[in-house]
């Protein structure tokens, strides 16, 4: 297997190892982001539940929720709202919106790597295939008509491996990129709901 990998790497002029590195980096991002969104969205859901149990005007309970989930990025929204001591709902919303804009890049972090893999993978694969085809036809030209059909088609088949690997990376990367973009939107929606809940608890009077 190792000899086959070396042969393919040589045939593609080193493109195959580059694709392997690209896939490894992308896989590391996928694993990290899966754990990140599982943890963050779970914490956000717990914060939502606790906030809805908080009485209107009970600033101490809001601060307690923020302290209890101090490691969660959504908790910073509650902390900001409590510490701002805004006199009205609009001012409180502006303070919380500022915190949301600060934490959104944390949710979007490293997704550019998957975006790059989706675009770069097929292009690198095609480049590797072109290199392989050039080598194959160069061998055919050197050997002349005496070269066997099996040697030619085998060389072309090996050259196409790079394209296949590049497409595989792009497909896997696209699936997870779309999934994580959906997670980001859910996270932002979650923070918007937390913002409204906090503002209502600080400046609302509750249902009558």
């Amino acid at each position: 297997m190792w000899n086959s990998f070396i042969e393919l790497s040589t045939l593609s002029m080193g493109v195959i190892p580059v694709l392997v590195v690209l896939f490894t980096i992308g896989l590391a991002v996928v694993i990290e982001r899966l754990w990140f969104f599982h943890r963050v969205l779970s914490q956000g859901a717990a914060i939502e539940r606790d906030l809805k149990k908080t009485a209107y005007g009970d600033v101490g309970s809001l601060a307690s929720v923020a302290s209890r989930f101090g490691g969660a990025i959504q908790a910073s929204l509650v902390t900001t709202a409590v510490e701002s001591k805004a006199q009205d709902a609009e001012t409180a919303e502006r303070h919380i919106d500022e915190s949301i804009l600060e934490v959104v890049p944390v949710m979007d972090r490293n997704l550019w790597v998957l975006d790059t893999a989706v675009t770069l993978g097929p292009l690198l694969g095609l480049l590797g295939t072109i290199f392989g085809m050039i080598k194959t036809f160069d061998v055919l030209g050197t050997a002349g008509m005496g070269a066997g059909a099996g040697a030619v088609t085998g060389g072309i088949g090996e050259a196409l491996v790079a394209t296949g690997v590049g497409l595989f990376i792009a497909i896997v990367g696209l699936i997870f990129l779309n999934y994580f973009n959906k997670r980001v939107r859910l996270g932002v929606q979650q923070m918007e709901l937390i913002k409204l809940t906090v503002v209502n608890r600080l400046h609302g009077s509750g249902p009558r």
Side-chain angles (χ1 to χ4, degrees):
M1 183 176 180
W2 178 249
N3 290 335
S4 298
F5 177 77
I6 294 177
E7 183 180 349
L8 289 173
S9 301
T10 303
L11 187 65
S12 65
M13 298 292 288
V15 171
I16 290 289
V18 173
L19 287 172
V20 171
V21 171
L22 182 64
F23 178 75
T24 303
I25 294 173
L27 184 61
V29 172
V30 167
I31 294 173
E32 188 273 332
R33 290 288 90 183
L34 283 173
W35 166 246
F36 172 82
F37 283 112
H38 171 73
R39 176 172 52 85
V40 167
L41 295 180
S42 298
Q43 289 174 334
I47 291 174
E48 284 181 25
R49 289 193 299 268
D50 284 7
L51 287 176
K52 289 177 181 178
K53 297 175 184 177
T54 303
Y56 287 83
D58 189 351
V59 179
S61 294
L62 291 177
S64 177
V65 171
S67 176
R68 188 158 55 250
F69 296 94
I73 60 176
Q74 297 93 332
S76 63
L77 311 184
V78 185
T79 301
T80 297
V82 172
E83 293 179 351
S84 67
K85 299 178 180 179
Q87 298 298 317
D88 54 73
E90 291 183 1
T91 303
E93 286 184 9
R94 287 199 300 270
H95 286 298
I96 299 175
D97 283 336
E98 182 180 350
S99 293
I100 291 176
L101 291 176
E102 289 176 351
V103 301
V104 165
V106 178
M107 305 186 72
D108 198 39
R109 186 177 57 204
N110 292 334
L111 294 187
W112 66 269
V113 174
L114 295 181
D115 195 12
T116 301
V118 168
T119 305
L120 190 60
L123 295 177
L124 283 175
L126 181 59
L127 181 63
T129 295
I130 291 173
F131 285 145
M133 296 286 281
I134 291 173
K135 279 198 170 187
T136 299
F137 284 116
D138 183 59
V139 171
L140 177 61
T142 301
M145 298 303 294
V152 176
T153 56
I156 294 175
E158 290 177 349
L160 289 172
V161 170
T163 296
V165 173
L167 289 174
F168 174 77
I169 291 173
I171 291 169
V172 174
L174 182 61
I175 291 172
F176 280 105
L177 180 61
N178 288 336
Y179 174 78
F180 291 139
N181 283 334
K182 177 65 175 178
R183 298 291 98 181
V184 171
R185 290 194 294 271
L186 286 176
V188 172
Q189 183 182 19
Q190 195 178 67
M191 288 188 288
E192 287 290 338
L193 180 57
I194 289 174
K195 179 184 76 172
L196 292 176
T197 304
V198 171
V199 171
N200 285 335
R201 292 304 184 276
L202 286 174
H203 301 282
S205 56
R208 296 179 181 179

